[in-house]
Amino acid sequence: MTAPTHTPSSHTPTMPTSAGGTLHEPVIDWFDAHARDLPWRRPEAGSWGVMVSEFMLQQTPVNRVLPVYEQWLARWPRPADLAKEAPGEAVRAWGRLGYPRRALRLHGAAVAITERHGGDVPTEHAQLLALPGIGEYTAAAVASFAYGQRHAVLDTNVRRVLARAVTGVQYPPNATTAAERRLARELLPDDERTASRWAAATMELGALVCTAKNETCQRCPIAAQCAWRLAGKPAHDGPARRGQTYAGTDRQVRGKLLAVLREALAPVPQAVLDRVWDEPVQRARALDGLVSDGLVEPLPGGLYRLPLT
DNA sequence: TAAACGTGGTT
DNA sequence: TAACCAAGTTT
């Protein structure tokens, strides 16, 4: 649909409202036409559904989250339902999503919500931020997606979209900068409802079209205005991202240990855990780490299990 | 600020 | 195949 291009009067190219004025409508229209039908976007998900999805989506792809999300919400439809479970049950139900401390923190957040907020996911950004496992991104995402508030929601997708469309570079910096936050705030539509749709739309655009590799500019609603594309899509010049090695790390050992405990119905003898890794020093360090993180509970007699408390 | 923290699909 | 990538948070 060709909407009237109410061109801003400003001529300064650095004027953020100018950039936003040309981006908001096409991106939101694209979102309305192409957004995925994800369960946490349906009205029946509620704020708890949104919050659970945000925890699970921290560093884990949508396709792997979907089945676990459905099981989780069916089993614990409200924060209080999760709060009265043993934390180890949350770790077990987390399955193979990775970074199982998120499960522990989500359980802790449910406890805090039950104790401090009457069982309802808080509506204020500051209250959300105070919950375990919720940082700047997740607080803004829950406030925006669950409650329709106006917040800059700056995740890896949005950062990449803004880096390309506005800044004209292929990739954002390794760590989020103050300049990125400022830009995201400046681009935020004034209207609350429009701002929350903008947040979801830019995230979806980064996830589906403006991807890290093999971006499909033919399907991009703002390709004509994209600074990176207009510059000839120059390759990233800065330092390459440090690759995350995994094989042979403590993380891998922790993963193997926890996998055994997730499947076990009864406390597991140390000897059984010993079979997952042959190097004893690293194995012991990994197990100690899991215990000190609260992911594993040691019992008398050299037995281990997921935490009951 | 950097490093730790899981897991599996894709290139 | 090794490296990269995926809706980050915490210390």
Side-chain angles (χ1 to χ4, degrees):
Chain A
M1 66 190 292
T2 54
T5 51
H6 48 310
T7 306
S9 54
S10 170
H11 295 279
T12 53
T14 54
M15 191 70 177
T17 49
S18 172
T22 65
L23 298 177
H24 295 153
E25 186 169 299
V27 172
I28 290 174
D29 285 350
W30 171 87
F31 182 68
D32 288 341
H34 300 286
R36 290 167 291 180
D37 176 28
L38 300 171
W40 44 85
R41 286 179 177 162
R42 296 172 194 149
E44 59 265 33
S47 55
W48 174 238
V50 171
M51 184 175 141
V52 169
S53 77
E54 290 301 337
F55 268 79
M56 293 182 173
L57 288 164
Q58 290 170 1
Q59 301 286 279
T60 301
V62 166
N63 287 335
R64 283 174 41 210
V65 164
L66 283 169
V68 182
Y69 171 87
E70 299 287 7
Q71 295 168 22
W72 195 283
L73 266 292
R75 182 171 177 184
W76 300 305
R78 298 163 305 176
D81 300 316
L82 176 59
K84 64 190 177 197
E85 283 275 11
E89 281 308 296
V91 174
R92 195 189 308 278
W94 197 254
R96 310 187 66 81
L97 290 182
Y99 291 145
R101 288 192 289 198
R102 292 181 292 165
L104 224 43
R105 290 171 181 154
L106 180 51
H107 179 272
V111 170
I113 288 170
T114 304
E115 292 175 349
R116 310 205 293 259
H117 302 288
D120 295 319
V121 176
T123 60
E124 295 306 307
H125 182 279
Q127 297 176 315
L128 290 162
L129 197 55
L131 297 174
I134 294 192
E136 181 56 41
Y137 161 76
T138 303
V142 173
S144 182
F145 302 153
Y147 297 120
Q149 294 173 19
R150 182 178 181 273
H151 293 282
V153 179
L154 205 50
D155 79 322
T156 188
N157 290 305
V158 176
R159 294 181 63 216
R160 188 173 53 249
V161 168
L162 298 187
R164 291 177 182 171
V166 180
T167 312
V169 297
Q170 186 178 21
Y171 296 120
N174 279 314
T176 306
T177 63
E180 286 183 275
R181 292 193 193 86
R182 178 174 48 77
L183 175 61
R185 278 199 308 272
E186 289 169 348
L187 288 175
L188 211 51
D190 294 328
D191 173 65
E192 198 174 39
R193 170 175 161 74
T194 308
S196 67
R197 294 170 74 207
W198 163 255
T202 46
M203 197 174 306
E204 190 79 335
L205 187 62
L208 298 183
V209 173
C210 194
T211 48
K213 304 203 167 187
N214 302 318
E215 69 280 356
T216 51
C217 302
Q218 323 82 259
R219 295 191 290 142
C220 180
I222 53 173
Q225 306 122 79
C226 176
W228 181 54
R229 181 173 161 278
L230 291 173
K233 298 170 72 165
H236 183 66
D237 57 358
R241 259 203 242 191
R242 191 187 305 112
Q244 38 181 345
T245 55
Y246 181 65
T249 61
D250 286 7
R251 271 154 90 175
Q252 184 182 22
V253 184
R254 288 166 57 108
K256 286 179 176 294
L257 290 169
L258 213 51
V260 172
L261 294 168
R262 271 199 312 265
E263 301 306 316
L265 300 174
V268 174
Q270 167 110 42
V272 173
L273 294 176
D274 285 349
R275 286 191 271 142
V276 308
W277 199 256
D278 57 13
E279 207 293 296
V281 173
Q282 187 178 29
R283 192 177 65 219
R285 186 173 64 230
L287 184 55
D288 284 349
L290 288 171
V291 171
S292 61
D293 286 346
L295 283 163
V296 171
E297 183 176 348
L299 299 173
L303 296 172
Y304 295 88
R305 69 179 174 199
L306 297 181
L308 229 46
T309 59

